[in-house]
């Protein structure tokens, strides 16, 4: 899990607050991949990372969770790219 802190507007607090931002691996994608064999999984990952780079290729597997430190509201953003 990768965490950072950002300051931006919270819709519930109606002011700028500090938010903890966490990148979380999507469980749905990893469960689908368990059914596939290792060779096809490797080839897909190799082709994907060769074309766009390893970091960008793996970003499809994560979602961005932003949690307000004041009120605790959690916002999930799946559109990282």
């Amino acid at each position: 899990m990768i965490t950072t802190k950002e300051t931006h507007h919270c819709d519930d607090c109606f002011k700028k607050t500090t938010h903890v931002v966490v990148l979380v691996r999507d469980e749905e994608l990893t469960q689908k991949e368990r059914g596939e064999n290792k060779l096809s999984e490797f080839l897909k990952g190799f082709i994907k990372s060769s074309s766009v780079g390893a970091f960008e290729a793996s970003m499809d597997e994560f979602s961005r969770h932003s949690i307000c430190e004041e009120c605790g509201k959690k916002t999930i953003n799946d559109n990282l790219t």
Side-chain angles (χ1 to χ4, degrees):
M1 227 179 340
I2 302 168
T3 62
T4 58
K5 288 193 177 188
E6 296 178 355
T7 302
H8 54 85
H9 183 77
C10 178
D11 294 335
D12 285 359
C13 297
F14 301 109
K15 61 181 178 179
K16 275 194 166 191
T17 58
T18 304
H19 289 71
V20 176
V21 178
V22 182
L23 291 180
V24 179
R25 183 177 295 270
D26 288 336
E27 290 296 322
E28 192 174 293
L29 288 174
T30 55
Q31 288 175 356
K32 284 182 190 175
E33 291 173 354
R34 287 184 194 148
E36 299 176 4
N37 65 25
K38 298 276 184 188
L39 180 61
S40 67
E41 190 177 323
F42 170 76
L43 289 174
K44 268 202 261 184
F46 180 76
I47 293 168
K48 192 190 244 186
S49 65
S50 297
S51 61
V52 295
F55 181 73
E56 288 84 5
S58 68
M59 289 310 292
D60 290 341
E61 301 170 5
F62 291 94
S63 61
R64 182 179 185 268
H65 295 230
S66 176
I67 305 159
C68 178
E69 288 189 334
E70 297 273 329
C71 67
K73 179 183 178 192
K74 180 178 178 182
T75 307
I76 299 173
N77 182 2
D78 291 328
N79 302 324
L80 293 176
T81 56

